[in-house]
Amino acid sequence: MEMSDDDVIRQKLVYEGDSGSDDKRLTTMLKLFSTWANENNEKEANDETIDKSCEVVQLMLNQVTQSQQSLEHCWLVHKANEEQRKQYGDMNEIIDRRIEFITGRIKKCKENLVKAKKIRRNRQIYNSLSKVVKEHPSRKETQMELNKVKKYLGSLKEENAVLDEKLDLRKKQAQL
């Protein structure tokens, strides 16, 4: 039994679960019911009309069953969507809390990084100053060297004083 393109498209549209297929089912059922009611109004009841009437009733029952299944399917999809929406809402809350927590940790890490950079900079300055200080002698050594120089200076002053006295003495002797 070959079906035309129009029949295939019509069947797809009738059996599709979205975009107005329920309206088409109801329209089809209404037409079937009208046909069935008109045929039953006629007084002639023979086997052919009874068989045809039974076929129409069976088609209407099939349409009702399809509509019920479609309604059940839509209801289940609706419930699943509601459950998923709730789950996504819960996940969203969890993610928001995690974002807040991680944002706080990032802020603390940034503060620690600033402190660490300051400490590192201070250490570098300290190390460079300690190198400069190591190049010079210690205070104790400098004090000892200073004392030696003072003693030497003192001895030079004494020697200068002695030489000055000698010079004065010679000047006095030369004047005589």
Side-chain angles (χ1 to χ4, degrees), residues 66-176:
Q66 285 178 355
S67 295
Q68 285 176 339
Q69 287 175 345
S70 176
L71 181 64
E72 248 181 77
H73 175 73
C74 289
W75 177 249
L76 291 174
V77 167
H78 173 72
K79 282 174 56 175
N81 286 342
E82 286 295 315
E83 184 63 31
Q84 265 190 336
R85 187 185 60 77
K86 183 180 177 277
Q87 287 176 355
Y88 287 144
D90 294 344
M91 285 175 108
N92 192 28
E93 289 177 18
I94 291 170
I95 290 170
D96 286 344
R97 284 193 301 252
R98 284 184 182 172
I99 287 172
E100 287 177 23
F101 174 73
I102 289 177
T103 302
R105 286 188 62 196
I106 288 172
K107 188 177 179 181
K108 287 179 184 178
C109 288
K110 283 182 180 180
E111 291 170 0
N112 290 340
L113 180 63
V114 168
K115 289 177 185 177
K117 283 181 178 180
K118 187 176 181 179
I119 289 171
R120 183 175 182 205
R121 186 172 13 104
N122 289 344
R123 280 188 184 158
Q124 287 175 343
I125 292 170
Y126 173 80
N127 289 337
S128 64
L129 288 175
S130 68
K131 286 179 185 177
V132 170
V133 167
K134 285 181 181 179
E135 291 174 2
H136 299 288
S138 69
R139 180 176 291 221
K140 192 174 186 180
E141 292 172 358
T142 305
Q143 194 67 31
M144 288 171 49
E145 189 70 31
L146 185 61
N147 287 338
K148 284 181 187 177
V149 169
K150 282 182 182 179
K151 283 181 185 177
Y152 179 68
L153 185 61
S155 68
L156 286 178
K157 282 183 181 180
E158 286 177 16
E159 189 179 325
N160 191 23
V162 170
L163 290 175
D164 277 343
E165 282 178 26
K166 281 184 184 179
L167 182 64
D168 281 341
L169 185 66
R170 288 201 182 167
K171 276 185 186 179
K172 286 182 188 178
Q173 286 176 354
Q175 284 180 355
L176 287 173

Side-chain angles (χ1 to χ4, degrees), residues 52-65:
K52 195 171 185 181
S53 178
C54 286
E55 284 179 24
V56 171
V57 169
Q58 190 61 39
L59 283 174
M60 285 191 304
L61 288 174
N62 287 342
Q63 289 291 328
V64 168
T65 304

